[in-house]
Amino acid sequence: MRLSRLSVVQWIFVVTFTMWSYRCVLNLLQLQNKREYRHLAKPRFHLRPFSKRETKSNNSDHVLKEPNTSLYHIQTHEMSPLNCARASESKIHLISKSYIYSIGEKIEVRIQTFNGHGLPMTRGGDLVRVWIKEVAKSACAAGSVIDNQNGTYTATIIPRWVGNVTVMAAIAAPRELIDMFHRVYHRNGSLNTMMARFETGGVSEESPCLPTPHIRGFSKLCNFSKKIGGLPFYCGHPVNLQCHNWVAVRTPLGQGRRFTQDEKKMFIRELFHQTIPGSLEVKVTDGKTKQNWPVRTHQTSSRSTWSQRSGYFLNWIWHQGEGHALSGEGHSGRNDIFVTRLSTCLANRRLWLIGDSTLRHWLEFISQKLHTQRKQTSEDILHPHQPLLLKDKSRNISIFWGPHGLPFHHGSTWHSPDVNRAAHQYLDEATSESEDIYIINLYVHFHAFPEEVFRAHVKRLAESLGSLLTRAPKVKVAINGPHAFHGLNKAGFVDDYFGPVYDSILRSELHHLRDHVIYLDFWDMTVACENVDIHPNVTVVQAMIDVMIKHVCR
């Protein structure tokens, strides 16, 4: 009887425990279901909605539209380095079965991208680059790439020298990384923030600045657009001081905090400028019939510079176009010939280099070649972005370098806002008798902001260019296009992702000036030589200046 009662108790316990366990399992399944589908009802990160209206500066007729993010639809929960195209997993192969080509014959290759899971990509949008090189001859050339929008890319390269050539390909950046930048633009208005310092009577304050009138935490702003030449620039209004107490500007370090922890995980080496394994070896011969290249005169028009992209290095000398060196270019490695060409070009003229430190490096290179080096002072070290003036009295050459207008990142050192001047302000001061040369470079200092900020500066520049070329027909103006380089692969640091975007904007906004404005396109040059640094080395700088001499001083 005792055993029977114990058995009944045990049976009741088993049934009760089973029912309780069943309910626990149901609750866990429901909770898991909610977690899995929560992102469909509520985003993981709240994005500040932009107003649909356009924002217009009171001191400028140039309208800044909010960035269009409709094309950038990758959800945050999908963001993972493993979902991106990986160079280490991707494949490259020749479309033709032949491994022997003649000079001028097209080499066509196809690239299939794969993600970090080893699965083939089925959509495009990645930045893929292809080039050829022969190390023994210090030769290289860039190819053109077509995005097939299905995870494959077709590239065409035209060899210009005889030899054993290696075909190379790389994924400069996956589409997801570019999408992420646009999300950060949308969420924060920029990738980083500049800071203004206000000071008077021993009292100082700091506030953030942006080229758009949307600064979080500030309902009242200082509009400095008029002060910097009519282009949009705003800073948070100080608490105890006034806007006219603005004395300095800088860009603090540690800007990577604008990225979320998930976004920072995207900044890994495997996603930046990685070469696709399995490079192809082909042989290039003279061919049965020697190529008859069209004879090109050195008196090329300004319009032609907007379409000339092909070129190649041979013995580290840049040859522009199909098989022809630039005027004197074949001797540019010989210092005396290069100096003669350079001094002849600049004699009795003033050269204005308006832009960033890329053009400052031009000035330093020219100074070294002409033996007119400035002595570096402590001020140059503390404030490297101060305008510089170089004079060579024996040749009557004057070269000026000045940083372009804000936004311009001076780093952690405070600089006076008067150091920067918009490019169009220099042009507006040119007299009708001027025969000066202007080289203008707008590039990496705009990377932290939506592309419409860059477009606004180019639009305003176009207005002054049109006026200048009518007023002073003897003036020469050249626009430096973007160059390829590798960034630091860290959140908040620049890379060349938007170089092609800026190139498109320059061509669009300056299209009506093609007959009078020279375009110095260095993209293919820097892709071909696998340029890494934001400031190209002296070999590339000399090649760039050679191109400038050819077109500006013809």
Side-chain angles (χ1 to χ4, degrees):
M1 188 71 179
R2 182 181 179 87
L3 291 175
S4 178
R5 290 177 60 186
L6 288 175
S7 298
V8 171
V9 171
Q10 289 176 342
W11 181 80
I12 293 173
F13 175 80
V14 170
V15 172
T16 304
F17 180 80
T18 302
M19 294 179 65
W20 177 81
S21 300
Y22 178 73
R23 292 188 63 181
C24 288
V25 171
L26 281 178
N27 289 335
L28 287 173
L29 289 174
Q30 290 175 353
L31 179 60
Q32 180 65 23
N33 187 61
K34 288 180 180 179
R35 287 178 176 173
E36 289 179 355
Y37 293 94
R38 180 172 56 187
H39 65 270
L40 297 179
K42 185 179 181 181
R44 288 182 62 185
F45 299 100
H46 296 283
L47 305 183
R48 175 177 63 84
F50 282 109
S51 170
K52 292 183 179 179
R53 63 181 176 83
E54 294 177 338
T55 304
K56 187 174 181 180
S57 165
N58 293 332
N59 296 305
S60 173
D61 292 331
H62 300 280
V63 175
L64 280 180
K65 296 180 179 179
E66 301 296 356
N68 178 11
T69 57
S70 60
L71 299 178
Y72 308 97
H73 55 272
I74 301 297
Q75 300 298 317
T76 306
H77 66 273
E78 296 176 353
M79 191 168 54
S80 167
L82 291 175
N83 293 335
C84 303
R86 288 286 187 98
S88 59
E89 303 290 335
S90 300
K91 309 295 182 184
I92 178 174
H93 67 272
L94 288 168
I95 294 178
S96 168
K97 300 301 181 182
S98 174
Y99 283 83
I100 300 177
Y101 296 84
S102 301
I103 290 180
E105 185 179 356
K106 292 181 180 180
I107 301 174
E108 293 183 308
V109 298
R110 177 151 302 160
I111 297 160
Q112 171 66 65
T113 55
F114 291 79
N115 64 20
H117 299 287
L119 300 175
M121 302 296 290
T122 58
R123 53 93 192 119
D126 305 307
L127 296 184
V128 176
R129 295 171 189 169
V130 175
W131 66 100
I132 56 175
K133 67 179 182 180
E134 185 174 1
V135 176
K137 295 184 177 179
S138 300
C140 54
S144 59
V145 180
I146 296 175
D147 185 345
N148 299 319
Q149 299 297 321
N150 60 2
T152 68
Y153 300 81
T154 302
T156 302
I157 319 99
I158 300 178
R160 302 297 185 192
W161 67 90
V162 173
N164 297 310
V165 172
T166 303
V167 182
M168 309 286 293
I171 300 177
R175 187 188 73 169
E176 289 82 357
L177 199 64
I178 308 302
D179 295 341
M180 182 186 71
F181 282 143
H182 283 270
R183 281 200 308 277
V184 177
Y185 288 147
H186 182 74
R187 185 172 67 233
N188 299 317
S190 68
L191 300 183
N192 58 33
T193 302
M194 302 174 66
M195 297 296 293
R197 189 176 75 190
F198 303 84
E199 189 174 87
T200 185
V203 179
S204 65
E205 292 185 44
E206 296 182 19
S207 70
C209 303
L210 288 174
T212 56
H214 303 284
I215 302 178
R216 290 187 175 184
F218 289 86
S219 58
K220 188 177 182 181
L221 302 177
C222 293
N223 185 351
F224 292 126
S225 303
K226 185 176 181 180
K227 182 178 177 63
I228 69 165
L231 289 162
F233 194 76
Y234 304 84
C235 299
H237 198 290
V239 177
N240 300 311
L241 301 178
Q242 300 301 316
C243 294
H244 64 264
N245 298 132
W246 183 31
V247 296
V249 64
R250 70 170 183 169
T251 304
L253 300 177
Q255 295 287 338
R257 62 180 177 270
R258 285 184 168 268
F259 296 85
T260 67
Q261 291 303 315
D262 280 349
E263 289 167 345
K264 288 180 181 179
K265 293 177 183 178
M266 298 289 286
F267 289 88
I268 60 174
R269 180 178 300 177
E270 289 79 7
L271 297 185
F272 290 83
H273 299 279
Q274 294 299 298
T275 302
I276 295 174
S279 55
L280 307 171
E281 304 290 336
V282 300
K283 185 175 182 178
V284 179
T285 66
D286 276 330
K288 295 180 180 179
T289 304
K290 189 176 180 66
Q291 297 288 339
N292 294 315
W293 304 113
V295 177
R296 293 177 178 268
T297 65
H298 299 313
Q299 298 295 323
T300 56
S301 65
S302 297
R303 177 183 284 266
S304 68
T305 64
W306 293 87
S307 57
Q308 288 179 357
R309 299 201 63 168
S310 60
Y312 61 99
F313 276 109
L314 182 59
N315 296 320
W316 286 125
I317 297 170
W318 182 251
H319 296 251
Q320 187 80 39
E322 300 90 349
H324 286 280
L326 297 180
S327 174
E329 184 184 65
H331 304 285
S332 64
R334 295 171 54 187
N335 186 65
D336 53 344
I337 299 296
F338 177 80
V339 170
T340 299
R341 295 181 57 230
L342 181 63
S343 57
T344 301
C345 174
L346 302 181
N348 303 312
R349 306 180 83 171
R350 171 170 285 191
L351 173 64
W352 298 79
L353 302 175
I354 311 302
D356 54 28
S357 50
T358 297
L359 286 185
R360 179 185 168 120
H361 278 66
W362 280 33
L363 180 140
E364 294 170 350
F365 181 84
I366 293 172
S367 172
Q368 181 182 14
K369 290 297 181 181
L370 298 182
H371 301 289
T372 56
Q373 290 179 288
R374 290 175 64 256
K375 291 183 178 179
Q376 191 176 50
T377 65
S378 58
E379 183 68 15
D380 293 329
I381 298 173
L382 292 174
H383 302 284
H385 295 148
Q386 295 284 348
L388 298 174
L389 179 61
L390 177 70
K391 289 190 175 182
D392 183 340
K393 294 183 179 179
S394 63
R395 300 181 179 92
N396 193 24
I397 294 173
S398 177
I399 305 174
F400 172 86
W401 174 82
H404 64 67
L406 298 173
F408 190 100
H409 303 292
H410 291 287
S412 58
T413 303
W414 289 106
H415 278 67
S416 167
D418 296 330
V419 166
N420 296 89
R421 298 189 70 203
H424 72 266
Q425 292 180 292
Y426 290 100
L427 301 183
D428 291 343
E429 294 174 351
T431 64
S432 58
E433 296 81 16
S434 175
E435 296 184 17
D436 292 352
I437 300 170
Y438 291 85
I439 311 295
I440 299 171
N441 184 62
L442 306 177
Y443 191 21
V444 296
H445 289 265
F446 291 89
H447 282 193
F449 310 101
E451 62 194 57
E452 289 304 319
V453 174
F454 181 82
R455 187 182 296 275
H457 279 249
V458 177
K459 278 179 173 289
R460 182 60 187 84
L461 175 63
E463 290 184 12
S464 290
L465 281 172
S467 175
L468 171 66
L469 296 170
T470 301
R471 181 176 74 253
K474 294 183 179 181
V475 162
K476 296 287 187 180
V477 180
I479 305 296
N480 268 21
H483 63 274
F485 67 94
H486 299 187
L488 298 179
N489 303 358
K490 296 181 180 179
F493 286 88
V494 298
D495 201 291
D496 64 1
Y497 321 118
F498 296 109
V501 175
Y502 292 171
D503 175 83
S504 177
I505 291 174
L506 288 167
R507 293 176 184 275
S508 172
E509 300 299 338
L510 302 179
H511 183 268
H512 62 292
L513 299 170
R514 290 178 302 162
D515 289 330
H516 307 286
V517 175
I518 297 164
Y519 191 58
L520 302 177
D521 189 343
F522 299 128
W523 187 260
D524 283 358
M525 177 190 292
T526 45
V527 168
C529 69
E530 303 174 50
N531 180 60
V532 173
D533 294 334
I534 190 172
H535 300 127
N537 62 37
V538 293
T539 299
V540 179
V541 168
Q542 179 159 329
M544 289 176 166
I545 296 175
D546 243 336
V547 174
M548 182 272 290
I549 293 172
K550 185 256 182 153
H551 293 299
V552 171
C553 303
R554 57 178 183 266

